[in-house]
Amino acid sequence: MAGDLFSSHTTLTPPKGDNDRLAWLRLLRSRRVGVSTFFRLMREHGSAQKSLAALPEIARAAGVQDYTVCPEGVAVAEMKAAKAVGATMVCFGDTAYPAALTGIPDPPPLLWCIGDTALMARPMVAMVGARNASSLGTRMARKLSEGLTDAGFVVVSGLARGIDTAAHLAALDGGTIAVQAGGVDVIYPRENATLADEIAKTGLRLSEIAIGTQPQARHFPRRNRIISGIARAVVVVEAAARSGSLITAKNALDQGRDVLAVPGHPFDARAFGCNALLRDGATLVRSAEDVIEAIGKEQVAQPEPVPQQPPKPERSLRDTSKLHNEILSRLGPSPVAEDQLIRDLELPSQKVAPELLNLELDGKIIRAPGGLLSLAH
């Protein structure tokens, strides 16, 4: 298909009925359709049904033979499974879709939700930290969580052991959202099954991953970008040098969110990440009042509705596929510095960096500490 496939920049219309929602799900679950490609297709073709019809020809133009879209039966089965566990689909553009997520570069086209979706309209603060948290760390997480919910904030975390668990438990009465790495019906770790049930009753669990999917390593970076993207700020309570909490903090900075950290003793490895964030300019946190002061009390007020539009595409599918192939061809099992890769490609970093993130979210490349990249195994 000749020319720029995505010259149209129309506003994305949310699905209007079950058939529309089924088409959205089929499109998103189709092979080689990630978040960016989903929005590009929707902008160009105007609907999920038309995008599905165009996909095989687009794939052939990109050199992919014998391409088939996600079968209707697969999407129907997922929707039935969602109904069986009490999950509802919230799509980009729906009234219930969190406004903060619409502003990140790679917002999830849809979320599976169990619980009170109205919580996503309230101001949110994310809290993350070490899974092997210390007693002092969990006490601090509980104190912060209680103070934030008392002030009207919803506390967002990832349902993991340690800091996440403490933050959720303390916020059950005031409002908490758990963003899951696997399907919204799959509880990980299993020890948090009771907590997950309680969150479903008084709070909200959500995930962009297919119903019934067990969490895999590549799902956690995707979850982390939602944790930071849905919130006004991210508070880190204990984090090791190489931890998912620091990845979430980096996401937050990239998304324009405030990053705050609780200081710790230099001899405690769990304090390394927080102390490094503070050294690099994060706001120091001693209490919930510090968080509220940094964010601004006006954030507790009900936010005004904002126009929900997907990010504007910068290149066609064919150009994107070509760039992905060039990136992957230059990577191998041995890590390469990201800045070196960008120099080798002889392209502006602002064009390469978003596609590196997309490849990372798709599980095709691995990002190691220090900005090193390698092919996924």
Side-chain angles (χ1 to χ4, degrees):
M1 301 177 68
D4 187 349
L5 293 174
F6 300 101
S7 57
S8 173
H9 300 303
T10 56
T11 301
L12 182 65
T13 302
K16 296 180 180 179
D18 289 343
N19 288 338
D20 261 3
R21 292 182 182 277
L22 180 63
W24 272 53
L25 189 58
R26 287 184 66 199
L27 181 60
L28 190 59
R29 299 294 185 246
S30 291
R31 186 164 55 102
R32 295 191 173 225
V33 176
V35 169
S36 296
T37 301
F38 177 92
F39 284 120
R40 289 185 178 115
L41 288 166
M42 292 291 284
R43 282 188 176 278
E44 170 62 17
H45 300 285
S47 72
Q49 289 93 338
K50 292 179 180 178
S51 298
L52 286 167
L55 255 180
E57 175 58 28
I58 293 173
R60 278 192 293 273
V64 180
Q65 302 300 320
D66 300 323
Y67 182 88
T68 56
V69 300
C70 173
E72 183 174 317
V74 172
V76 168
E78 183 174 348
M79 294 187 80
K80 287 182 177 178
K83 184 177 181 180
V85 298
T88 57
M89 181 192 293
V90 175
C91 296
F92 189 102
D94 283 343
T95 303
Y97 192 91
L101 275 185
T102 65
I104 70 173
D106 48 0
L110 64 85
L111 297 166
W112 285 117
C113 300
I114 299 178
D116 184 5
T117 57
L119 289 175
M120 294 189 290
R122 290 173 50 190
M124 292 172 264
V125 172
M127 194 177 306
V128 297
R131 287 174 170 79
N132 63 331
S134 68
S135 176
L136 282 175
T138 55
R139 283 171 55 192
M140 186 63 174
R142 289 196 299 269
K143 181 180 177 182
L144 290 173
S145 195
E146 290 170 354
L148 288 168
T149 54
D150 286 346
F153 288 94
V154 173
V155 173
V156 181
S157 200
L159 199 62
R161 299 182 180 93
I163 296 302
D164 290 22
T165 297
H168 285 309
L169 282 169
L172 281 174
D173 293 336
T176 188
I177 295 176
V179 184
Q180 298 175 231
V184 72
D185 58 325
V186 178
I187 308 306
Y188 178 85
R190 287 303 307 168
E191 66 199 57
N192 275 349
T194 300
L195 172 59
D197 288 342
E198 291 300 314
I199 293 174
K201 293 175 184 175
T202 64
L204 178 67
R205 300 197 331 248
L206 62 84
S207 174
E208 67 175 330
I209 305 299
I211 296 290
T213 303
Q214 293 292 328
Q216 302 174 28
R218 62 189 176 90
H219 294 152
F220 287 90
R222 298 177 64 175
R223 178 202 65 175
N224 292 346
R225 89 186 193 287
I226 296 176
I227 290 176
S228 56
I230 203 172
R232 173 64 181 82
V234 174
V235 180
V236 185
V237 185
E238 295 190 337
R242 299 178 180 181
S243 64
S245 299
L246 292 186
I247 294 175
T248 306
K250 181 182 181 300
N251 288 340
L253 292 172
D254 292 342
Q255 294 164 345
R257 308 300 190 249
D258 291 326
V259 174
L260 306 93
V262 176
H265 196 286
F267 287 170
D268 189 343
R270 290 168 295 201
F272 180 93
C274 289
N275 290 342
L277 289 172
L278 292 169
R279 178 199 61 198
D280 295 338
T283 300
L284 187 146
V285 173
R286 300 161 298 176
S287 65
E289 287 71 25
D290 287 337
V291 180
I292 297 166
E293 180 181 354
I295 296 174
K297 291 185 179 180
E298 68 276 5
Q299 293 294 333
V300 184
Q302 188 74 10
E304 291 295 323
V306 297
Q308 296 189 332
Q309 298 184 6
K312 294 183 178 180
E314 296 180 354
R315 61 180 67 85
S316 70
L317 267 181
R318 183 181 297 174
D319 292 339
T320 300
S321 177
K322 181 180 177 182
L323 178 55
H324 284 189
N325 289 334
E326 289 180 1
I327 291 172
L328 295 175
S329 69
R330 292 177 182 273
L331 293 176
S334 299
V336 174
E338 180 176 340
D339 56 354
Q340 181 61 54
L341 174 64
I342 292 174
R343 285 196 297 270
D344 292 344
L345 290 168
E346 298 181 345
L347 291 171
S349 60
Q350 60 266 31
K351 291 187 177 181
V352 180
E355 300 310 327
L356 291 175
L357 176 60
N358 288 333
L359 289 170
E360 183 182 2
L361 296 178
D362 289 341
K364 294 180 180 179
I365 66 174
I366 296 172
R367 188 186 300 271
L372 298 177
L373 303 170
S374 60
L375 283 178
H377 302 299

